[in-house]
Amino acid sequence: SYNYIIDAIDSLENKVELIRRATNTDATFFSSMGAALKMDPMKIKTAEFWKVIGCPLAAALRRRIKKGEKLSKKFLCVYSEELLENKGANSSCGTENCLCPKAQEGPGDANLVNHEWCSKKARINGTLAHTTAIFGFTLAGLVMQDIYNKWEE
């Protein structure tokens, strides 16, 4: 039995599972949406999950959640509407930009030569440390505000 549950999971499947379970408890639940490819701290906001706009992660979550059982309660999310281009999206395994080259010969660890890791790996959208920190501090702030508001009751 928890008073608060905070979600900061990046994996869609696991995030959906936590959201479903957390909204079926008496705990107050807060969730972080996608912080990847965000730079502007002034664009970080909070909103109820179904009202989050401009966040690809929230949109993907809503599509998955709509396919299953309806959520038991509403919850607040931290998100950003900012959308930046993923400048690393065009580099792929075997190119000079690849960090783990797939080739018969190549730089780096000989055990990684001609491997399948990159072709199966999901695209990585980089995140800046200040952005993830602000998302986390905002989640902590939501908990503290909730505690304060309940204390007044």
Side-chain angles (χ1 to χ4, degrees), residues 6-72:
I6 297 174
D7 158 44
I9 297 174
D10 290 331
S11 160
L12 269 176
E13 184 177 331
N14 295 321
K15 194 171 195 77
V16 169
E17 181 67 21
L18 179 61
I19 289 170
R20 288 198 184 285
R21 288 183 185 218
T23 56
N24 280 320
T25 70
D26 291 331
T28 302
F29 176 59
F30 298 113
S31 182
S32 175
M33 295 295 108
L37 298 174
K38 313 296 185 203
M39 287 179 50
D40 187 346
M42 300 304 290
K43 293 187 179 174
I44 297 172
K45 303 176 181 183
T46 61
E48 193 278 320
F49 174 66
W50 296 102
K51 295 181 180 176
V52 170
I53 56 173
C55 176
L57 177 59
L61 286 168
R62 285 192 294 263
R63 283 191 299 272
R64 285 186 180 216
I65 288 171
K66 284 179 184 177
K67 292 178 183 176
E69 181 182 325
K70 194 173 182 179
L71 299 180
S72 301

Side-chain angles (χ1 to χ4, degrees), residues 39 103 111 137:
M39 287 179 50
N111 293 326
F137 287 137

Side-chain angles (χ1 to χ4, degrees), residues 120-140:
K120 294 180 182 175
K121 179 93 174 105
R123 181 186 307 163
I124 298 171
N125 294 321
T127 306
L128 298 170
H130 77 282
T131 305
T132 54
I134 294 168
F135 270 58
F137 287 137
T138 304
L139 287 166

Side-chain angles (χ1 to χ4, degrees), residues 3-4 27-30 76 140-153:
N3 293 325
Y4 293 91
T28 302
F29 176 59
F30 298 113
L76 284 177
L142 290 172
V143 172
M144 297 308 296
Q145 288 172 10
D146 192 69
I147 291 169
Y148 179 79
N149 292 335
K150 287 178 179 172
W151 187 1
E152 287 185 333
E153 294 175 357

Side-chain angles (χ1 to χ4, degrees), residues 91-95 98 100-102 115 117-119:
S91 63
S92 62
C93 197
T95 69
C98 186
C100 46
K102 180 180 179 181
H115 65 284
W117 184 78
C118 277
S119 60

